[in-house]
Amino acid sequence: MARDSDYGAFMEKFLLQPSSSAHKLPLNPLTFAVKDIFDVDGHVTGFGNPDWLRTHPAATSTAPSVSAVLSQGATCVGKTVMDEMAYSINGENIHYGTPRNPCVPDRVPGGSSSGSAVAVGAKLVDFALGTDTGGSVRVPASYCGILGFRPSHNAISTAGVIPMAQSFDTVGWFARDPVILNRVGRALLHLPDVGPVSPTRIIIAEDCFQLSTIPTDRITQPLVKSVEKLFGGHLVKHAVLGDYVKDKVPSLKPFMSKGNADQDYNIPSLAALSSAMRLLQRYEFKINHGEWVSTVKPDLGPGIAERVREALMTTDDSMDICHSVKTELRAALIALLGDFGVLAIPTVPGPPPKLQTEATSLETFRARAFSLLSIAGVSGFCQVSIPLGLCDNLPVAISLLAKHGSDGFLLNLVETLYDTLKEEIFIAERRSY
């Protein structure tokens, strides 16, 4: 079980070592951990809940994504704690304890890939695997001050990974170092080593940054100045993403009328996007796990129990519209970014919430978070969350998105930007004191 000596990050520890010729391989001698949603031969996949653990047999094979990094020379040291049934972005688990955020111990680590993010942030491993359906890699990466990558949808096999909602499920990963992030990505995505390609444009989504409680300049300036230094300021463009999405994604209309338009604290079209995404997510969760939940009646923690109950009551009404929204948004964002354009948004709308914050007081934060997270979720685009140091002693992050299938380009871009970005973050941090 999770223990405090390792920040409460691990469910169980074991060693899975690569083959004897591993010293020649690109991921040797790196260590990694995997979220307890991945099958590892001979171990029960626990899915964050003791009743799930109790009612399922040990896996008889290892997930291809885990095998992919093992085959490239990395060593697996164990499985990490996760939010129950992957149904939270908070990182608190009532059964196994909450992994301790190494960046800010009195704040949540983010979920549902909480233990994987904490293991990387606390330097217990070099990288870790997680999954991201609604934000479960991007959120904990931002809260723990590390890099987190959500790949293009369907770019990495999710075989041997317990599904949450297949229209959005992805295998993601965490690292502290952009070179390692890139190397792990190439192993998982089976990408050749190719040189970096310069971006054609970096679009700052102005309205998305207005959702954040952190001053816009503190998030955007390090990126803008780094892009100016490395590629030239002419690449930086500004857009009001909400208006663009409203105009280009007509299938969102039914979701616009359901209370989203009067959320003065949100962007109506992105709130509608989030509603469409979460509706389809609930329906697919019910198809995947409704029977097990109804039969076993598992003990679920606060917040999770309510979300699962709501999912079990979802019908297939509006599913066609949800799929139309996905198709239209992908086309709209391809038109906006082109082949080598990048969209910049805040990963989340502010710093990580305090531990054991009442759910009701987080409603506005969650609504804004899912508005931002649903952009990549619904379009299937790849997204990287990049740490930007501390503001008022709390971690800050920015996200870059690129079109579906541009994962290698985005990984190279992060590596190219990172050192200059660190210099600009240092300047920004000094300025804020």
Side-chain angles (χ1 to χ4, degrees), residues 337-359:
L337 296 182
D339 282 346
F340 298 109
V342 170
L343 180 68
I345 62 169
T347 306
V348 284
K354 287 189 170 165
L355 288 163
Q356 295 169 332
T357 302
E358 271 299 315

Side-chain angles (χ1 to χ4, degrees), residues 1-12 33-36 48 79-84 88-122 124 136 140 143-144 146 174 352-356:
M1 282 317 125
R3 291 183 181 84
D4 199 52
S5 61
D6 56 24
Y7 288 76
F10 284 90
M11 281 294 296
E12 57 171 329
V34 297
K35 180 179 185 174
D36 197 17
K79 282 197 168 193
T80 56
V81 174
M82 62 175 284
D83 296 43
E84 294 178 80
S88 174
I89 56 167
N90 227 24
E92 294 176 302
N93 187 312
I94 196 167
H95 308 287
Y96 300 126
T98 299
R100 194 164 77 251
N101 187 328
C103 197
V104 265
D106 66 330
R107 305 277 170 148
V108 296
S112 61
S113 311
S114 53
S116 287
V118 166
V120 171
L124 305 175
S136 291
Y143 287 0
C144 292
I146 57 174
F174 303 95
K354 287 189 170 165
L355 288 163
Q356 295 169 332

Side-chain angles (χ1 to χ4, degrees), residues 279-292:
L279 178 61
L280 182 50
Q281 186 180 348
R282 284 195 294 269
Y283 180 69
E284 291 185 350
F285 180 91
K286 174 189 170 178
I287 299 298
N288 290 322
H289 305 303
E291 192 180 326
W292 178 82

